[in-house]
Amino acid sequence: MRYEDLVFKIPQESPTYREDSAFVIRQITAILDSRRAANDDKIIINTNLRMGLPLENINKIAGPMIEAWAGEVFAGIRDDMSNEYQLINVEAQERLGMADIILQFRKGRSVLTGNVDVKATANDIPNSGKGPNITSFSRIRTAYVKDPDFMFIILSIKHRVYSERNKETGLVDGIMEVVNYNAYDLKFISDADINYNPALGTGQIQIKDIHYVTYQYRTTWEMCQLLDQKYLHSSRRTFDDFYREATKNQWIK
């Protein structure tokens, strides 16, 4: 048996999916733009240190802090029921969930759901978080079959960390500042920008360089086929491995 012999379940996304994806990304970006305009793009950590922070290691905690900041930004917008971004629901996900935050926006009579994976990288540390793991092969492949309109958004946030002496206490505060951000729909990231890492379970989908991503519009079924080929072309995966996953997750009829 070969890949070409399998009878797959072929997902069919909505005709408006591409514009719906663009709408969600546009709203996410506009919300972050508003925070920067309001100078609410910093996290300040008060310490009892007098000599400064260990900046060479601070990125280890800066990433989770920036991710928490993003969650609070969206939650704060949602609490204003008349907000201009049509954001109606924000749900933080468990640590091992596929996404970090689920955002729901109203668009006309529709409600659009964006599953947002926040990736924070240090602007001043070369190659920091450059090629992050995004999600497991089987989880995202299954999500696209179950819901052809499943929208998985990668929110890349660059930050820089520096020290500043607190004028009142004389101690050193740590400042984590957002310097740039971009949001991408995983389904539209170009073939050349997607890697497959066979480590960990069924393998991880990775972005080759999250700071330089190009778009390549495709259907949900085309995305499933791309994921399959990334998996099958790995030296550590066989067709039998793929067939086992396809049967287990009901990708085939």
Side-chain angles (χ1 to χ4, degrees):
M1 184 181 293
R2 302 173 304 163
Y3 180 85
E4 294 77 10
D5 298 326
L6 299 177
V7 181
F8 287 98
K9 294 178 181 177
I10 300 179
Q12 298 285 340
E13 72 277 8
S14 300
T16 60
Y17 179 86
R18 180 169 165 177
E19 62 184 70
D20 292 342
S21 171
F23 175 85
V24 168
I25 288 176
R26 191 162 57 246
Q27 300 305 88
I28 289 172
T29 303
I31 288 170
L32 296 180
D33 286 345
S34 72
R35 292 301 85 206
R36 291 192 73 177
N39 200 32
D40 181 17
D41 57 356
K42 299 179 182 66
I43 299 170
I44 300 175
I45 302 177
N46 300 122
T47 75
N48 62 350
L49 299 174
R50 296 184 180 279
M51 303 301 292
L53 298 177
L55 295 179
E56 66 276 7
N57 294 315
I58 202 71
N59 63 302
K60 294 178 181 179
I61 65 168
M65 300 286 272
I66 292 295
E67 292 167 12
W69 170 84
E72 290 195 6
V73 165
F74 293 121
I77 296 293
R78 173 209 54 200
D79 292 341
D80 177 5
M81 298 305 293
S82 60
N83 71 82
E84 62 183 290
Y85 308 101
Q86 292 84 53
L87 180 61
I88 60 174
N89 190 37
V90 178
E91 296 179 16
Q93 298 301 286
E94 297 179 357
R95 187 177 66 87
L96 297 178
M98 188 183 300
D100 296 312
I101 313 167
I102 293 179
L103 304 179
Q104 290 185 306
F105 296 89
R106 188 174 302 283
K107 179 174 177 273
R109 296 183 179 180
S110 302
V111 174
L112 305 179
T113 300
N115 299 268
V116 182
D117 186 20
V118 182
K119 297 298 182 187
T121 59
N123 187 58
D124 44 3
I125 300 177
N127 298 324
S128 166
K130 177 181 175 181
N133 286 333
I134 301 300
T135 186
S136 81
F137 163 74
S138 286
R139 288 182 83 177
I140 192 65
R141 178 66 163 82
T142 301
Y144 285 138
V145 172
K146 288 184 175 179
D147 178 8
D149 290 328
F150 185 77
M151 193 181 299
F152 194 80
I153 305 296
I154 301 165
L155 176 57
S156 171
I157 301 180
K158 274 188 177 183
H159 59 80
R160 69 184 183 103
V161 181
Y162 55 94
S163 298
E164 195 171 85
R165 192 164 298 280
N166 188 306
K167 295 180 180 179
E168 295 182 4
T169 66
L171 301 174
V172 174
D173 291 339
I175 313 294
M176 300 175 183
E177 179 181 12
V178 173
V179 297
N180 197 13
Y181 41 82
N182 286 288
Y184 313 102
D185 188 328
L186 177 62
K187 191 164 76 175
F188 295 147
I189 292 178
S190 73
D191 184 349
D193 290 324
I194 296 177
N195 280 341
Y196 170 75
N197 180 355
L200 300 176
T202 63
Q204 291 285 313
I205 302 303
Q206 295 180 321
I207 303 301
K208 185 177 295 184
D209 186 346
I210 201 167
H211 303 311
Y212 299 97
V213 173
T214 56
Y215 254 27
Q216 179 181 337
Y217 292 105
R218 57 172 71 88
T219 66
T220 304
W221 173 230
E222 287 171 339
M223 182 59 174
C224 290
Q225 292 176 293
L226 173 63
L227 294 173
D228 293 349
Q229 295 310 308
K230 296 285 184 181
Y231 181 94
L232 288 167
H233 288 164
S234 167
S235 61
R236 290 173 56 180
R237 302 297 178 187
T238 66
F239 176 78
D240 288 341
D241 294 330
F242 177 82
Y243 185 74
R244 184 172 54 252
E245 289 300 315
T247 303
K248 173 185 173 182
N249 295 296
Q250 302 180 11
W251 304 339
I252 53 181
K253 295 180 180 180

